[in-house]
Amino acid sequence: MDLGGLPASVMPAGPEDFSTEWLALILGLKVVPDLGAAIAHIETHSTGHSDGILTRDQAHAERFIAEVDSAAVYVNASTRFTDGSQLGLGAEVAISTQRLHARGPMALRELTTYKWVIIGENHVRP
């Protein structure tokens, strides 16, 4: 497949790539026809930890926040901000890749989940 002169390290993502947790600086992109298809893709492949959207459409941002069921939902900001020290929660948040961040003995407080909504202006974390 011709990828327009991109480096050999750039390759098309396959269906299995979207359910793989790489734990590396690997980015899988999928072009979808509309926001509904994007949300459906997230419902199928997300761990429920953190998901984001880049958009200029406020209605899309609001729908994304309302419909994506993840612990952290980002609008126009890098999902790399999920690190607990960035959200003021302590470093342990980043260790989990699922919705429930608690470790060790659990009671009602630890079993309560939150939905963090982070809205940026194309913020990134180096």
Side-chain angles (χ1 to χ4, degrees):
M1 169 183 268
D2 179 25
L3 295 176
L6 293 173
S9 61
V10 176
M11 59 194 76
E16 68 284 353
D17 291 327
F18 298 112
S19 293
T20 299
E21 185 177 341
W22 295 107
L23 300 175
L25 293 176
I26 295 173
L27 178 63
L29 298 174
K30 180 177 176 119
V31 177
V32 294
D34 55 40
L35 181 59
I39 292 171
H41 179 79
I42 290 168
E43 288 173 356
T44 301
H45 297 284
S46 177
T47 63
H49 184 265
S50 54
D51 290 291
I53 184 174
L54 297 175
T55 184
R56 292 185 180 120
D57 187 318
Q58 184 62 31
H60 284 181
E62 291 171 7
R63 180 177 171 199
F64 189 85
I65 291 167
E67 294 184 26
V68 171
D69 186 24
S70 294
V73 178
Y74 292 83
V75 176
N76 298 330
S78 169
T79 58
R80 291 187 70 202
F81 285 106
T82 302
D83 183 346
S85 65
Q86 297 298 306
L87 298 178
L89 304 173
E92 298 304 313
V93 173
I95 291 172
S96 174
T97 56
Q98 302 295 320
R99 170 176 296 286
L100 192 60
H101 300 298
R103 297 290 180 264
M106 293 189 197
L108 183 59
R109 185 175 70 97
E110 289 80 18
L111 294 173
T112 303
T113 63
Y114 300 91
K115 181 174 184 175
W116 299 92
V117 177
I118 298 88
I119 299 174
E121 295 179 8
N122 302 318
H123 288 85
V124 295
R125 180 171 178 222

